[in-house]
Amino acid sequence: MIYDYFQTDLAGTLILAGDEKGLRHLNFVGGKRPVVTQKDWRRDPVHFKTVKAQLSAYFSGGCKTFDVDLFPGGTPFQMKVWSALLTIPYGTVVSYQKIARHINKPNAVRAVGAANGRNPISIIIPCHRVIGKNGALTGYGGGLGIKQRLLRLESPDRF
């Protein structure tokens, strides 16, 4: 596994990890589920040059979609949820209930929330765009403050 760090003003320090198959992790170093590097991992800033350029553009408001090979690891249910998250347009929010309906599991709202919380590729797989059905901001791996800042970046008039 190859890894590196990416510093942002808006979201703090992020860790990126992946291999030849694609990006496997993009997490907040100070978040709820930080990725811990292993002894056999190799740090290589050049490996993530394209991802970092797109993240820089995103944080400056110039990138609304990402073109990155993703290779998250998860259960089939989690993969369905994460795939559904990728369909949420920039600047838009949806409820956990809407995601549950989207994957044809309308009674699995809590399971959708759990899968959302296990998203290994934050920001690019936009779990920050999922909110409670009452419009309330709910949990986020980087903290609610970062979630709100990301939503405000994407939709300044709304958040």
Side-chain angles (χ1 to χ4, degrees):
M1 189 79 68
I2 302 164
Y3 77 97
D4 197 24
Y5 297 98
F6 183 74
Q7 184 64 42
T8 75
D9 291 335
L10 191 140
T13 305
L14 304 172
I15 185 169
L16 301 94
D19 55 23
E20 69 283 346
K21 292 181 180 178
L23 186 65
R24 292 178 180 263
H25 298 281
L26 175 58
N27 297 88
F28 304 94
V29 170
K32 293 179 183 179
R33 288 187 170 79
V35 171
V36 179
T37 59
Q38 306 298 311
K39 286 184 178 185
D40 61 338
W41 289 19
R42 176 176 54 91
R43 188 169 182 186
D44 181 1
V46 176
H47 183 83
F48 298 103
K49 183 179 177 182
T50 301
V51 178
K52 289 179 180 181
Q54 290 180 38
L55 285 168
S56 290
Y58 170 80
F59 285 115
S60 67
C63 175
K64 293 184 175 23
T65 60
F66 292 92
D67 184 16
V68 176
D69 290 331
L70 305 177
F71 200 74
T75 67
F77 181 81
Q78 289 171 330
M79 298 295 278
K80 281 184 185 179
V81 171
W82 301 335
S83 182
L85 298 179
L86 288 167
T87 69
I88 306 169
Y90 180 95
T92 305
V93 293
V94 300
S95 68
Y96 294 95
Q97 187 173 56
K98 185 169 183 174
I99 295 294
R101 287 184 188 137
H102 181 84
I103 64 168
N104 296 316
K105 299 284 185 184
N107 295 323
V109 175
R110 287 182 186 227
V112 164
N116 198 55
R118 294 278 185 189
N119 174 15
I121 305 175
S122 295
I123 301 167
I124 294 175
I125 299 178
C127 54
H128 61 281
R129 296 179 188 153
V130 183
I131 61 174
K133 71 178 180 179
N134 64 356
L137 296 187
T138 56
Y140 188 62
L144 287 180
I146 291 175
K147 182 173 186 166
Q148 185 172 33
R149 289 193 293 273
L150 291 171
L151 293 173
R152 193 174 294 138
L153 169 72
E154 294 184 12
S155 186
D157 296 336
R158 190 165 182 192
F159 294 94

